[in-house]
Every structure is written in structure tokens, then in C-alpha cells.
Amino acid sequence: MSASFETVSVVDVHKDNIQTIWPSLMLALKSATYVAIDTELSGIGNRKTLNAKLLEDRYKSMSESAKSRSIVSLGLSCFKLTEVTACDSTPVTNGEGEDCDDENKSTKSNKWVFSVQTFNITALCSDEYIVEPPSLEFLVDHGFDFNKQYAKGISYYRGPDRPDFAGPSFLRQLFISLLVSEVPVVFHNALMDLMFLYQNLYTNLPTSSAMFLADLTEMFPNGMIDTKYVTDFQHRMPASYLEYVFRKRQRDNYFGIESHRSYCTIDNPNYAKMSDQVIVCNVKLPQSYTTDIPEEQVDKLKDSVCEVFGGHGWCGKGSKCKRSHDIDLILDLDQFVQTKKRRKRKRRRHNKENSELLEESNDTVDDSIQEVVTPMENDEDSESHAKEITLPGDILKKPVEIVRSGSHRAGFDAFMTGFILSTYIAQYGSYNGSLLLKDLGVEQMKNSIYLTGKDHPLNIVKSSFAKTSKEHRDKFMKLKIGRPLDS
């Protein structure tokens, strides 16, 4: 159990082992503080209409995609908060969170302990569906095995319930269990995932976005969090694609320990008895890295990095790109730029303060003042970002090999999403004795979904002018009637 965890264990679920794993999956889901979800899709449709100016046009385009494409894999990562202690290991009785728009505010230094179980579920739609060549190529480049999907994918159908469907509908049962448990859910760029889950594992999508939002408020009464929205609009990073945010938060979380800031630790279960069904993803941090890069090397390093990938996490050339997609190099360069800007701001502030001091004293500049004006080689903040940092020897045993977000896509991506939220909880949350997400001081993150190209989120609220959809009402009523008393 460590803030510098080296590996992530992902249980590989398919039709040959779903019955064996099902009890563990249900227990993990029902006991989770929150569940992070990711889907891999056979296609997403026309990119232009997906980002249409009007929300209703976007919704209609995404609806058509969800009705004609399929989910090829589903990732669930169940995060259970088990303990919160002060960093001196004494129990915490109270904590005060800070607003997400100011990451420089001080917070009570706590250690947040999460037990995590992650599942990568291979799915196979029994209905006809469209497979887009670009999506297929992307998935293959990132290690997705289509042969395995067709041989071992768990069968499901889209749309309303079909009582005459041959065999158990495990994926639809899984989604219903998620709703019945009322556990909060977490996504990274949530809208497409939500619409595909609704159409593929629940029932037909409503005809309007307002009706869809009304349905969601009933389906997820304890709310949902979109970590892409939190990253872009509350925490604010240079980039907000999943791999970038995960790696940056992983670094910041580790160095939060030596900086006496709050941090989280990840406890992976022991899967020794089922090692043949577990994929171990390597997420070791680099042996060492530094932001004190000689300026004469910066331009050369920038030229070696794929600018498109660095900014968006995606490159049309894929594995054929001749420039680096190394996320750690991208982060080092970004940190160098941020550190340089920080130094310039401090230099300007110091110069302004000294100028005001000169005006008040009406004296000439002496050596002591000149020393204050010189570059801040001894500045604490600059030094903390510029020094070379070497990680402990226990994570230096093997050559660095970073698992990209494309490896074991859905399960690992779900873990990354959940981990990002765990670090935001540690940084901005508060603890008052309850381990429930609704009591952790992160209410400001809930029910706001990222919209590409917009400077505002899509808020998950039920409009006073919109009703829930009939298909949802009929199905949801059956769920309530059939819900066990102890659920």
C-alpha cells in the first residue's frame, strides 16, 4: 500500500469466467465509495456533428451513434475509501476542504487510503453494428484483441429488455446492479459513455437531451463526477486528456508526501490464486526527472515531441508517428514552462516591490537591493520545482516501462479515472468521520459534464419543463419494486 504504487491489477472478465467472478464483482460494486467507468466503442460517428454548436444537435448525433455502434469493452474500477488519517498517523476528527479554483490554498495534511478492484470486461453485441476503420485501427494500435472479443466476448443486446434473449444478460444485469446500488459514478469526458451505456445496456435513449438529463438524475441519485470537467474548469491543467492528467496527478500525489501535503494511497487486493485471470499494468514513475532543463536543450526536446499528441493525447499517425509520445517527457517540458513563468512572475513582483521601496526611501540602489532583484536562485518555490528528484530505490529495480492509456484500455482507463478523483479528494476534500463520497467536501465537482469546445459544463439537473422518458419510468418502477430490502 503506497503512494508510489508500481502496478495496477486488472481482472480480465469474459464469457468463460464471468460466472466465477460475478460474486466478487457484485461485492466490489456494492461496497464502493464510487465506481469509475470507461467504455471502448466500435465507433463514435461523425466528429463534426458530435461537436455541433447546439446541444440538441450534439445529442441527436450521439444518439444515432449509440444506436448503430456498440460497446466492445467495459471498464469498472471500484474505489473504496477505507481510512483517513493525519499524516502523523493519528486519527483525523475534522478537516477543511478548499475551493477547486485555487490549488495554492493550504489544507489539512491527511493520508487517504483507498482499496481498489478493477475489471476489464470484454463485450460482444449480438445485434448488427457499425465498426469504423479509424476506431478499429486505434484499438488495434493500443493492444485491443478483436480475435479475443469474438471468441470470448460477453454477449448483450441494445435497447429495451428482451425476455426471450437466449442466455443470461450479464452486462445488462451489471448495469442494473450499478443503478440499484446507488453508488456515485465517475467518468472522464462522460457524455458519450453515458449515452452508450443507456442505449446499449438500459433502454432506448429519450428523444430530447432535457428528458435524458431528467432520467439521469433518477438513475444516479448520488450524482456523477466528470474528471475532465474538474481538470479543465476547476483544477486547471495545461492539458486534460486522460493519460496526461493521470500521470501528472500520480507525480503530484507522490511528491505530496515529502511536501507535507495531503495524498492518497492505493491498496490492490492479492490476486495470487487467480493470477491467470489478472493483467498487471506497470505504472512506475521514472527513475528520476528534473524540470531544471538547460535552455539550450529545450527547443531540441520540444522538436522531438509530437505536438498534436502532447496537446490532445491523440495523433492521427498513431504508432507510425516519428515523434515521441512519451508522456513523462511531455510533462517535464510542461513543468519547465510553468516553472519559467513562475520565476518571471516572482521576478516582476520583486522588481515592483523594490521599485516602490526605492521611491519611499529616495535612496540609490545599494548592493543589498541589487541582490534581491537578481534571479531567485535561492527561492524556495523555484528550487522545489527545479531540483532533480530521484525516487526511492524500491521502484528502480526494473527498466522504466510505462503502460499507455491504450493498453488494456477500458479497465486501465477506468482505474486512471478513479485515481484522478482520489487525488482531487485528497487535495480538496474534507473528512468529518464519514467515508461516503457525499460527505467528503467535493459536492462542487458533482453533476457537471464536460462539453467539447464550450466554456461551460452540461449540468445534470431535472428541468421543471422536462419530464422523464416513458421507457425509463416503466423500467425504473420495475427496478424499485424488485429491489431487495437490504440494497
Side-chain angles (χ1 to χ4, degrees):
M1 183 169 66
S2 171
S4 60
F5 57 95
E6 298 181 35
T7 60
V8 175
S9 298
V10 180
V11 180
D12 186 28
V13 186
H14 46 76
K15 72 176 185 180
D16 292 345
N17 65 5
I18 180 65
Q19 289 185 321
T20 303
I21 293 174
W22 185 260
S24 298
L25 176 55
M26 288 295 100
L27 181 61
L29 188 154
K30 292 176 181 178
S31 61
T33 305
Y34 60 86
V35 175
I37 304 174
D38 182 78
T39 63
E40 287 306 315
L41 312 172
S42 68
I44 60 174
N46 187 312
R47 270 72 171 172
K48 186 175 181 180
T49 56
L50 291 176
N51 296 325
K53 186 176 181 180
L54 297 178
L55 173 61
E56 208 58 35
D57 291 338
R58 290 192 188 196
Y59 179 78
K60 289 178 181 177
S61 178
M62 290 185 183
S63 294
E64 289 304 314
S65 295
K67 291 173 183 176
S68 57
R69 278 80 172 169
S70 73
I71 296 172
V72 298
S73 63
L74 174 65
L76 295 179
S77 194
C78 303
F79 278 68
K80 181 180 180 180
L81 180 61
T82 59
E83 182 183 2
V84 182
T85 60
C87 287
D88 61 1
S89 297
T90 58
V92 178
T93 58
N94 189 25
E96 295 182 0
E98 301 290 347
D99 293 336
C100 290
D101 59 358
D102 188 355
E103 64 176 302
N104 295 316
K105 290 183 180 180
S106 60
T107 59
K108 189 176 181 69
S109 184
N110 299 330
K111 179 175 75 172
W112 301 70
V113 182
F114 289 88
S115 175
V116 183
Q117 294 187 67
T118 303
F119 304 86
N120 186 82
I121 306 169
T122 303
L124 182 63
C125 184
S126 60
D127 301 323
E128 290 186 358
Y129 61 90
I130 295 173
V131 178
E132 298 174 12
S135 296
L136 188 149
E137 183 178 359
F138 176 83
L139 290 169
V140 170
D141 279 349
H142 290 78
F144 188 83
D145 187 346
F146 279 96
N147 289 329
K148 177 182 176 182
Q149 185 209 8
Y150 283 99
K152 295 189 175 184
I154 299 171
S155 183
Y156 78 92
Y157 57 88
R158 295 193 296 262
D161 292 334
R162 298 180 194 169
D164 59 343
F165 182 74
S169 302
F170 282 113
L171 294 185
R172 295 175 72 88
Q173 291 177 29
L174 174 60
F175 189 69
I176 293 304
S177 297
L178 182 70
L179 300 185
V180 170
S181 71
E182 297 188 352
V183 64
V185 291
V186 186
F187 300 88
H188 193 83
N189 205 359
L191 186 55
M192 184 71 78
D193 285 329
L194 283 167
M195 292 185 69
F196 264 79
L197 288 169
Y198 191 113
Q199 178 65 41
N200 281 254
L201 303 180
Y202 190 57
T203 190
N204 284 329
L205 281 161
T207 55
S208 71
S209 61
M211 206 175 289
F212 175 63
L213 296 178
D215 290 356
L216 290 179
T217 61
E218 289 191 353
M219 294 166 68
F220 301 103
N222 286 315
M224 63 189 68
I225 294 178
D226 187 340
T227 53
K228 186 172 177 67
Y229 166 75
V230 176
T231 298
D232 248 9
F233 290 91
Q234 296 180 316
H235 183 73
R236 300 184 185 277
M237 277 191 193
S240 60
Y241 57 90
L242 183 58
E243 184 180 8
Y244 182 99
V245 182
F246 167 73
R247 202 60 167 169
K248 180 70 167 65
R249 295 304 291 171
Q250 188 185 11
R251 287 183 172 199
D252 292 348
N253 185 64
Y254 175 79
F255 292 111
I257 301 172
E258 69 171 32
S259 302
H260 306 290
R261 299 192 306 267
S262 292
Y263 64 96
C264 64
T265 67
I266 300 300
D267 183 10
N268 277 307
N270 184 357
Y271 288 120
K273 294 182 179 179
M274 51 183 295
S275 58
D276 58 328
Q277 302 175 69
V278 175
I279 303 163
V280 178
C281 304
N282 190 338
V283 292
K284 289 184 298 184
L285 289 167
Q287 295 182 18
S288 65
Y289 63 89
T290 178
T291 56
D292 196 15
I293 305 171
E295 292 213 30
E296 61 272 14
Q297 294 184 20
V298 172
D299 289 339
K300 184 177 180 180
L301 287 173
K302 284 182 177 178
D303 288 341
S304 71
V305 170
C306 175
E307 187 175 353
V308 174
F309 184 89
H312 306 285
W314 179 86
C315 170
K317 297 178 182 177
S319 58
K320 297 177 183 177
C321 183
K322 295 182 179 179
R323 296 195 173 189
S324 175
H325 291 182
D326 186 333
I327 199 67
D328 284 301
L329 177 57
I330 292 167
L331 282 166
D332 284 345
L333 289 170
D334 281 355
Q335 185 62 57
F336 173 83
V337 172
Q338 294 295 319
T339 302
K340 192 174 181 180
K341 288 180 179 178
R342 187 181 297 110
R343 287 171 173 170
K344 284 183 178 179
R345 286 197 301 269
K346 289 206 168 189
R347 190 174 295 116
R348 285 196 299 267
R349 185 170 66 248
H350 281 224
N351 286 341
K352 182 179 179 181
E353 291 172 356
N354 290 325
S355 177
E356 292 172 352
L357 183 63
L358 283 171
E359 290 177 3
E360 290 177 5
S361 64
N362 201 24
D363 292 330
T364 57
V365 179
D366 61 17
D367 289 343
S368 64
I369 294 180
Q370 286 179 359
E371 183 143 347
V372 175
V373 177
T374 55
M376 294 146 307
E377 296 174 2
N378 295 321
D379 179 78
E380 276 188 15
D381 187 67
S382 298
E383 193 169 301
S384 67
H385 287 274
K387 67 181 180 180
E388 180 170 316
I389 308 170
T390 302
L391 302 183
D394 63 343
I395 68 171
L396 308 180
K397 297 175 182 177
K398 300 178 182 179
V400 175
E401 177 192 351
I402 301 167
V403 171
R404 302 301 175 195
S405 62
S407 301
H408 320 301
R409 289 257 335 154
F412 184 62
D413 285 8
F415 170 81
M416 289 197 289
T417 300
F419 175 76
I420 291 167
L421 179 59
S422 73
T423 65
Y424 285 150
I425 291 171
Q427 182 172 355
Y428 299 118
S430 57
Y431 178 66
N432 295 290
S434 171
L435 298 177
L436 299 176
L437 186 64
K438 65 183 180 67
D439 299 324
L440 299 182
V442 292
E443 289 297 307
Q444 73 276 24
M445 298 182 187
K446 287 186 178 181
N447 292 340
S448 294
I449 287 180
Y450 180 84
L451 288 175
T452 303
K454 299 290 186 179
D455 59 1
H456 57 82
L458 175 63
N459 294 315
I460 308 299
V461 294
K462 183 178 180 180
S463 169
S464 56
F465 302 102
K467 296 181 179 179
T468 54
S469 66
K470 183 180 185 305
E471 290 197 59
H472 160 72
R473 287 196 302 272
D474 292 345
K475 181 159 185 171
F476 206 64
M477 184 58 67
K478 292 178 183 178
L479 295 183
K480 286 187 174 181
I481 293 173
R483 182 180 302 179
L485 293 176
D486 59 347
S487 64

